Amino acid sequence: MNDMTPSPARTDAASATRALPDAQTVTDVTHWTDRLFSFKVTRPASLRFRSGEFVMIGLLKDDGKPLLRAYSIASPAWDDELEFYSIKVQDGPLTSRLQHIQPGEQIILRPKPVGTLVHDALLPGKRLWFFSTGTGIAPFASLIREPQTYSDYDEVILTHTCRDVAELEYGRRLVEQVKSDEMLAELTDGGTSKLRYYPTTTREESPKMGRITDLIDNGTLFDDLGLPHGLSPETDRAMVCGSIGLNTDLKAIFERYGLREGANSAPAEFVVEKAFVG
């Protein structure tokens, strides 16, 4: 094999371009850890989506058929590009190959956005909570860059729980960018009051450790943020994106406080994303 021989990823991308009308070009790739990476692709001119929604993306399999998975769009609805944040699963059907993509190569993107982590699925409130673990921060990466988030709520709190400190870096940098962005900084009062960031780890030592569900139950979360203990159906709204276990546990906590699960067709006090990357 010489240096001019195309890689399998490039061959797949070329095939996708020929066979499918849904191919988009990769413009940027960032590897955050040996388990996490993000990438940006071109945005179809016709694509319209609400911040917080997801689309199906993927590559062609060896048999020429598309292998697709649901990925939240991490960029806001106003962005010219589409960003995605992904795990790396070495034996995963898709991510074992997707993690090797390079700028200039292409992926399949089905331009049919859907999802429940959108403002339309919540009733008006005063405080909006984003509860995320791992790559579940992706839809909130979109929503904390969405101007409507700050016009609809007096306070926005992003919680992000990971095993190790390095896995928090994507979210930490994102929050810094929002607070330094001229347009968004004005909406967030310079980042000093409206947007609050609460990172925790469950394995590696960090300033704040523990599962977010435990920190809610024992009151630590509220004490750290200077808020009254508990959640109120009158003021609090919540969105959740993480593991099935997190979703189930938080749903039980919310319902204990009197919050109801909402949907696009029936807005309420909290929503949970049920689509997962595999």
Side-chain angles (χ1 to χ4, degrees):
M1 181 180 293
N2 58 46
D3 291 342
M4 298 304 292
T5 302
S7 68
R10 286 185 172 84
T11 302
D12 287 345
S15 298
T17 304
R18 289 193 300 270
L20 297 166
D22 297 324
Q24 296 299 321
T25 302
V26 176
T27 60
D28 183 76
V29 181
T30 301
H31 293 273
W32 298 93
T33 72
D34 59 357
R35 297 182 63 251
L36 298 167
F37 72 109
S38 62
F39 57 98
K40 296 179 180 180
V41 304
T42 52
R43 176 176 178 170
S46 61
L47 178 63
R48 298 290 180 270
F49 69 95
R50 296 173 295 176
S51 293
E53 290 188 312
F54 66 86
V55 290
M56 303 298 291
I57 67 172
L59 299 168
L60 285 186
K61 296 186 292 185
D62 293 337
D63 62 6
K65 295 180 180 179
L67 174 63
L68 304 173
R69 294 289 187 271
Y71 271 77
S72 292
I73 302 173
S75 46
W78 50 261
D79 206 327
D80 292 334
E81 294 182 309
L82 301 177
E83 180 182 359
F84 300 96
Y85 186 46
S86 178
I87 56 173
K88 304 176 185 179
V89 181
Q90 299 312 316
D91 58 352
L94 178 58
T95 57
S96 61
R97 299 166 58 201
L98 192 61
Q99 65 183 288
H100 299 297
I101 59 172
Q102 299 292 327
E105 296 177 352
Q106 292 175 314
I107 67 165
I108 303 166
L109 187 150
R110 299 288 199 221
K112 297 179 181 178
V114 293
T116 58
L117 300 182
V118 294
H119 287 303
D120 293 342
L122 293 177
L123 294 171
K126 293 185 177 181
R127 182 182 299 115
L128 178 59
W129 297 85
F130 294 138
F131 292 101
S132 63
T133 57
T135 56
I137 195 175
F140 307 140
S142 174
L143 283 158
I144 67 169
R145 289 182 278 184
E146 171 57 58
Q148 183 184 347
T149 300
Y150 305 103
S151 62
D152 285 358
Y153 296 91
D154 296 334
E155 188 173 19
V156 179
I157 302 170
L158 170 65
T159 81
H160 190 204
T161 301
C162 296
R163 296 186 306 176
D164 304 318
V165 173
E167 296 174 345
L168 295 169
E169 185 65 11
Y170 175 82
R172 186 190 68 78
R173 289 199 192 181
L174 179 67
V175 171
E176 283 187 354
Q177 290 170 6
V178 171
K179 291 184 176 182
S180 62
D181 181 275
E182 188 172 319
M183 179 187 72
L184 292 174
E186 182 177 340
L187 293 170
T188 61
D189 296 333
T192 59
S193 60
K194 277 207 168 184
L195 177 61
R196 308 182 70 181
Y197 175 50
Y198 193 84
T200 74
T201 58
T202 57
R203 186 172 68 180
E204 185 180 0
E205 189 75 25
S206 72
K208 181 56 60 177
M209 299 188 66
R211 288 167 50 88
I212 195 66
T213 47
D214 293 336
L215 298 173
I216 292 173
D217 283 337
N218 63 27
T220 300
L221 171 67
F222 306 107
D223 289 338
D224 288 343
L225 295 172
L227 297 173
H229 282 210
L231 301 168
S232 165
E234 285 72 40
T235 58
D236 291 290
R237 302 293 176 262
M239 296 185 180
V240 182
C241 191
S243 67
I244 294 177
L246 175 81
N247 291 359
T248 302
D249 292 346
L250 280 175
K251 181 177 178 178
I253 291 173
F254 296 156
E255 291 177 344
R256 194 166 69 233
Y257 284 119
L259 277 65
R260 301 164 300 158
E261 185 170 3
N264 280 278
S265 58
E269 289 81 37
F270 76 90
V271 284
V272 176
E273 188 54 81
K274 301 179 178 66
F276 305 99
V277 174

